[in-house]
Amino acid sequence: APIFGIDMDGKVTEWNAKAQEVSGYSKDETMNKHLVNTFIHLEFRTSVDEVLKQALMGVEVANFELPLFTKDGKRREVLLNATPRRGDDGSIMGVLGVGQDITALNQQRTEAMRIADDLGRIIETAN
Protein backbone atom coordinates (compact mmCIF):
# COMPACT_ATOMS: atom_id res chain seq x y z
CA ALA A 1 0.00 0.00 0.00
CA PRO A 2 1.24 3.51 -0.71
CA ILE A 3 1.97 5.16 2.63
CA PHE A 4 2.94 8.77 3.25
CA GLY A 5 3.30 10.99 6.26
CA ILE A 6 3.08 14.75 6.64
CA ASP A 7 3.91 17.05 9.52
CA MET A 8 1.70 19.80 10.96
CA ASP A 9 2.80 22.12 8.13
CA GLY A 10 1.77 19.64 5.43
CA LYS A 11 5.34 18.71 4.51
CA VAL A 12 6.17 15.12 3.60
CA THR A 13 7.92 13.16 6.36
CA GLU A 14 7.31 9.60 5.13
CA TRP A 15 7.13 8.14 1.61
CA ASN A 16 7.30 4.38 1.18
CA ALA A 17 8.35 2.35 -1.87
CA LYS A 18 4.74 1.76 -2.96
CA ALA A 19 4.01 5.51 -2.85
CA GLN A 20 7.07 5.94 -5.06
CA GLU A 21 5.87 3.20 -7.43
CA VAL A 22 2.34 4.64 -7.74
CA SER A 23 3.38 8.31 -8.05
CA GLY A 24 6.70 8.07 -9.85
CA TYR A 25 8.26 10.42 -7.28
CA SER A 26 11.18 9.13 -5.23
CA LYS A 27 11.40 9.59 -1.48
CA ASP A 28 14.19 12.13 -1.99
CA GLU A 29 11.97 14.16 -4.34
CA THR A 30 9.13 14.34 -1.83
CA MET A 31 10.75 14.72 1.59
CA ASN A 32 10.13 18.09 3.28
CA LYS A 33 8.04 19.34 0.35
CA HIS A 34 4.45 20.48 0.86
CA LEU A 35 2.32 17.51 -0.18
CA VAL A 36 -0.77 19.34 -1.42
CA ASN A 37 0.91 22.34 -3.08
CA THR A 38 3.62 20.27 -4.75
CA PHE A 39 2.07 16.92 -5.65
CA ILE A 40 -1.70 17.43 -5.92
CA HIS A 41 -3.26 18.81 -9.12
CA LEU A 42 -4.61 22.35 -8.68
CA GLU A 43 -8.19 21.20 -9.34
CA PHE A 44 -8.14 18.85 -6.31
CA ARG A 45 -6.00 20.79 -3.82
CA THR A 46 -8.91 22.21 -1.81
CA SER A 47 -10.63 18.85 -1.22
CA VAL A 48 -7.37 17.05 -0.38
CA ASP A 49 -6.32 19.90 1.91
CA GLU A 50 -9.66 19.65 3.76
CA VAL A 51 -9.21 15.91 4.34
CA LEU A 52 -5.70 16.42 5.69
CA LYS A 53 -6.83 19.32 7.89
CA GLN A 54 -9.52 17.11 9.40
CA ALA A 55 -6.91 14.49 10.25
CA LEU A 56 -4.64 17.20 11.71
CA MET A 57 -7.56 18.12 14.00
CA GLY A 58 -7.87 14.51 15.18
CA VAL A 59 -10.61 13.27 12.84
CA GLU A 60 -9.76 10.10 10.95
CA VAL A 61 -10.91 10.17 7.31
CA ALA A 62 -11.64 6.87 5.60
CA ASN A 63 -12.16 5.99 1.94
CA PHE A 64 -11.44 9.36 0.36
CA GLU A 65 -10.91 8.98 -3.40
CA LEU A 66 -7.79 10.93 -4.21
CA PRO A 67 -7.03 11.74 -7.85
CA LEU A 68 -3.24 11.60 -8.07
CA PHE A 69 -1.27 12.68 -11.11
CA THR A 70 2.00 10.82 -11.50
CA LYS A 71 5.34 12.39 -12.25
CA ASP A 72 4.81 11.54 -15.94
CA GLY A 73 1.31 13.08 -15.95
CA LYS A 74 -0.88 9.97 -15.73
CA ARG A 75 -3.96 10.08 -13.52
CA ARG A 76 -4.24 7.44 -10.80
CA GLU A 77 -7.10 6.97 -8.36
CA VAL A 78 -6.07 6.23 -4.79
CA LEU A 79 -8.50 5.30 -2.03
CA LEU A 80 -7.02 7.07 0.98
CA ASN A 81 -7.36 6.71 4.72
CA ALA A 82 -5.86 9.65 6.63
CA THR A 83 -5.12 9.13 10.33
CA PRO A 84 -3.76 11.60 12.88
CA ARG A 85 -0.17 10.77 13.83
CA ARG A 86 0.45 11.25 17.53
CA GLY A 87 3.59 11.75 19.56
CA ASP A 88 4.47 10.00 22.82
CA ASP A 89 2.48 12.59 24.77
CA GLY A 90 -0.64 12.01 22.64
CA SER A 91 -0.44 15.31 20.80
CA ILE A 92 -0.97 15.30 17.04
CA MET A 93 2.30 15.56 15.12
CA GLY A 94 0.97 15.10 11.61
CA VAL A 95 -0.97 12.71 9.41
CA LEU A 96 -0.30 9.20 8.21
CA GLY A 97 -1.95 8.41 4.88
CA VAL A 98 -2.46 4.84 3.75
CA GLY A 99 -3.83 4.32 0.28
CA GLN A 100 -4.87 1.71 -2.20
CA ASP A 101 -4.45 2.23 -5.93
CA ILE A 102 -7.95 1.68 -7.33
CA THR A 103 -7.23 2.93 -10.86
CA ALA A 104 -7.70 -0.50 -12.50
CA LEU A 105 -10.78 -1.24 -10.39
CA ASN A 106 -12.42 2.02 -11.48
CA GLN A 107 -11.56 1.31 -15.12
CA GLN A 108 -13.16 -2.15 -14.83
CA ARG A 109 -16.25 -0.65 -13.18
CA THR A 110 -16.59 1.93 -15.98
CA GLU A 111 -16.21 -0.76 -18.65
CA ALA A 112 -18.81 -3.00 -16.94
CA MET A 113 -21.26 -0.08 -16.83
CA ARG A 114 -20.64 0.64 -20.54
CA ILE A 115 -21.26 -3.00 -21.46
CA ALA A 116 -24.44 -3.11 -19.36
CA ASP A 117 -25.64 0.07 -21.07
CA ASP A 118 -24.88 -1.39 -24.52
CA LEU A 119 -26.73 -4.61 -23.66
CA GLY A 120 -29.70 -2.60 -22.39
CA ARG A 121 -29.89 -0.72 -25.69
CA ILE A 122 -29.65 -3.98 -27.68
CA ILE A 123 -32.52 -5.48 -25.67
CA GLU A 124 -34.61 -2.34 -26.10
CA THR A 125 -33.99 -2.34 -29.83
CA ALA A 126 -34.88 -6.05 -30.11
CA ASN A 127 -38.25 -5.42 -28.47
Side-chain angles (χ1 to χ4, degrees), residues 17-28:
K18 191 67 175 180
Q20 179 175 324
E21 179 185 319
V22 169
S23 70
Y25 291 100
S26 71
K27 186 173 185 171
D28 288 342

Side-chain angles (χ1 to χ4, degrees), residues 2-84:
I3 298 172
F4 68 87
I6 61 167
D7 63 15
M8 295 298 290
D9 297 322
K11 293 183 179 174
V12 177
T13 57
E14 299 288 336
W15 196 261
N16 77 348
K18 191 67 175 180
Q20 179 175 324
E21 179 185 319
V22 169
S23 70
Y25 291 100
S26 71
K27 186 173 185 171
D28 288 342
E29 290 174 295
T30 61
M31 294 302 285
N32 297 312
K33 297 213 171 77
H34 195 276
L35 178 73
V36 173
N37 294 342
T38 310
F39 302 105
I40 303 299
H41 191 278
L42 184 61
E43 181 181 349
F44 304 105
R45 285 184 187 162
T46 301
S47 60
V48 173
D49 197 44
E50 284 303 312
V51 165
L52 296 176
K53 281 181 181 174
Q54 284 182 7
L56 286 170
M57 292 187 296
V59 179
E60 186 168 331
V61 179
N63 299 327
F64 174 75
E65 287 199 34
L66 168 70
L68 176 71
F69 289 83
T70 64
K71 187 175 181 178
D72 61 3
K74 292 181 181 143
R75 181 177 170 147
R76 306 294 292 258
E77 299 292 331
V78 176
L79 193 62
L80 179 70
N81 293 327
T83 306

Side-chain angles (χ1 to χ4, degrees), residues 82-102:
T83 306
R85 188 176 189 179
R86 299 184 184 273
D88 293 338
D89 64 355
S91 65
I92 296 173
M93 301 173 34
V95 174
L96 186 65
V98 179
Q100 179 181 356
D101 186 353
I102 58 170

Side-chain angles (χ1 to χ4, degrees), residues 95-113:
V95 174
L96 186 65
V98 179
Q100 179 181 356
D101 186 353
I102 58 170
T103 306
L105 180 65
N106 282 351
Q107 289 169 343
Q108 290 168 353
R109 185 182 323 148
T110 300
E111 180 65 9
M113 288 170 46

